[in-house]
Amino acid sequence: LKKEFIKNLNLDKKNKKSLIGVIDNISHTPTFIALEFLIYLKSLEFKNNYLIVLPFGQKKKTLYKKKDNIISSSEELRYKTILEPCLDLVGGFNKNIIFLSERYKAYNFLNKKNTKDLILPKKTSIYRVSKVDYSKSYLKKYIEIYNKTKKRVFLEAPAYSKEFVKKYIDFKPEKKIISFSLKDAYYNKDRNSKLSEWLKFAKYLKNLGYRVIFIKDISSLNTQNKINQKLNNFENFDIFSYDLRARLALYEICYLNFSTSSGTNVLLFNSNANYLIFSVVNDNIKDGTGSYKLWLHHTGVSHNEQFPFASNLQKIVWKKNNEKFSCMKDEYLKFKKKINDNTKSK
């Protein structure tokens, strides 16, 4: 395998058409940043792409960790529910993936490679334990390329996943679906969805004839969680909370998707799905996840701006304290007018 890899790589290098991306799980808990990294790699438009995925290793606890330890082996859970499915979601990304089970054997596998050929975050090395410094996000790098080329990279649910989801929820095209993605984390409650307002709005939409589906936060998948009782009058399926392929498939077949501050929003931002996203930042959070400071640093999207590649049916709602029924209804009516205008202009 190693010889074949090196041989093919040398052939590719002559034509300057090869690229190697390394995802090293010892340096960073699996998050949706990995998906943005893959989007960036796709935007570089190399003909042949190699992804090398390194395992956690014994020293994982000494480096960056998320606080959402809903189970003791939280990193492994995130690896299976975030990183692995992300590898399937970048549309048209021709890639060869190598999963290495032992870190130090991985060093031997790569020892003939020039480090300049490896796409790594700043201040990281596959040859030593190092904490990732995301001083410049891969999302920003992708946006820089998009602004020059106007070529958008789309996330797409695999065909089999979309077919399965349609059967699973008994999808009927004549019955428009609206999804609600909830945030309900015990470790950063300021980011949590204002459930009472969303339930009120969901009831309004249901009375209009829409099929409403709630997607719970993965940390809410507990039979004792009170949120389950509150959602009794609405459809919700656990699979969309932990299976990103199924979640994106649902987003794609929905008439409209509502969401609040969550890492899963990367699926909406980079797909063809229609969305309205509320509370992407919280004024009560000054630093870290949920703060405008980190949002701006990571995305470069300022207040009242949208992603440069967003369609007119994809919108971040910037109004302050926007998780209120009146604001939700107003944004929905604006969306409905836009989609009707789009239909008339065709």
Side-chain angles (χ1 to χ4, degrees), residues 216-322:
K216 294 179 291 188
D217 193 307
I218 191 171
S219 61
S220 300
L221 297 185
N222 181 331
T223 55
Q224 305 304 314
N225 196 304
K226 293 180 180 178
I227 199 171
N228 294 307
Q229 294 179 340
K230 294 177 180 179
L231 295 177
N232 270 345
N233 295 323
F234 298 96
E235 291 183 272
N236 63 89
F237 305 87
D238 287 354
I239 190 173
F240 300 127
S241 301
Y242 63 81
D243 188 325
L244 294 183
R245 302 174 186 91
R247 189 186 192 112
L248 181 55
L250 178 66
Y251 284 158
E252 290 175 345
I253 63 176
C254 280
Y255 174 72
L256 176 59
N257 300 280
F258 285 90
S259 185
T260 58
S261 177
S262 175
T264 56
N265 286 338
V266 68
L267 299 177
L268 292 170
F269 292 147
N270 295 286
S271 70
N272 266 321
N274 301 331
Y275 65 75
L276 288 170
I277 299 182
F278 293 66
S279 301
V280 289
V281 298
N282 188 306
D283 291 337
N284 295 325
I285 303 173
K286 302 304 178 185
D287 289 289
T289 305
S291 69
Y292 177 68
K293 178 181 178 182
L294 183 61
W295 165 268
L296 184 63
H297 171 78
H298 182 68
T299 68
V301 177
S302 303
H303 268 300
N304 299 318
E305 290 185 351
Q306 305 295 326
F307 283 103
F309 44 73
S311 75
N312 71 333
L313 300 178
Q314 298 177 320
K315 181 181 180 182
I316 298 168
V317 179
W318 283 105
K319 184 178 180 180
K320 286 193 174 185
N321 301 315
N322 56 39

Side-chain angles (χ1 to χ4, degrees), residues 60-217:
K60 65 182 178 183
K61 292 183 179 179
T62 65
L63 301 175
Y64 175 80
K65 288 183 69 177
K66 293 283 287 185
K67 296 178 181 178
D68 57 343
N69 296 320
I70 58 177
I71 60 173
S72 58
S73 52
S74 184
E75 284 91 353
E76 286 79 5
L77 178 67
R78 296 180 70 87
Y79 182 92
K80 290 294 183 181
T81 60
I82 296 179
L83 180 57
E84 281 193 356
C86 281
L87 296 171
D88 289 342
L89 298 180
V90 182
F93 190 24
N94 178 33
K95 58 195 179 299
N96 304 281
I97 306 173
I98 301 171
F99 292 94
L100 295 165
S101 59
E102 295 182 40
R103 294 186 59 78
Y104 295 101
K105 285 187 178 179
Y107 301 156
N108 293 330
F109 183 86
L110 294 168
N111 66 3
K112 289 187 179 180
K113 291 306 306 136
N114 187 321
T115 54
K116 291 181 181 179
D117 295 326
L118 305 179
I119 306 298
L120 293 162
K122 188 177 178 182
K123 296 183 181 178
T124 62
S125 170
I126 61 168
Y127 299 106
R128 60 184 173 83
V129 175
S130 55
K131 185 174 179 179
V132 176
D133 176 9
Y134 288 100
S135 60
K136 189 171 185 181
S137 78
Y138 285 101
L139 176 57
K140 274 187 176 178
K141 288 186 174 185
Y142 160 56
I143 290 174
E144 287 176 3
I145 292 173
Y146 171 81
N147 286 335
K148 293 176 183 176
T149 66
K150 300 305 177 186
K151 292 182 179 180
R152 186 175 179 183
V153 175
F154 285 100
L155 300 181
E156 299 171 357
Y160 72 84
S161 185
K162 188 177 289 189
E163 183 180 356
F164 168 76
V165 166
K166 286 182 177 180
K167 186 172 184 179
Y168 181 67
I169 67 170
D170 191 22
F171 173 71
K172 292 180 173 55
E174 65 274 11
K175 187 73 171 178
K176 293 177 180 176
I177 303 173
I178 293 181
S179 80
F180 291 83
S181 296
L182 297 177
K183 184 67 179 178
D184 182 44
Y186 66 87
Y187 55 90
N188 194 345
K189 294 184 177 180
D190 282 334
R191 294 177 66 205
N192 287 352
S193 305
K194 306 294 187 293
L195 185 57
S196 60
E197 294 295 315
W198 287 111
L199 288 173
K200 184 179 177 182
F201 181 55
K203 184 178 179 181
Y204 163 78
L205 292 175
K206 192 174 181 180
N207 289 338
L208 291 178
Y210 291 104
R211 182 180 180 184
V212 174
I213 295 178
F214 275 90
I215 304 175
K216 294 179 291 188
D217 193 307

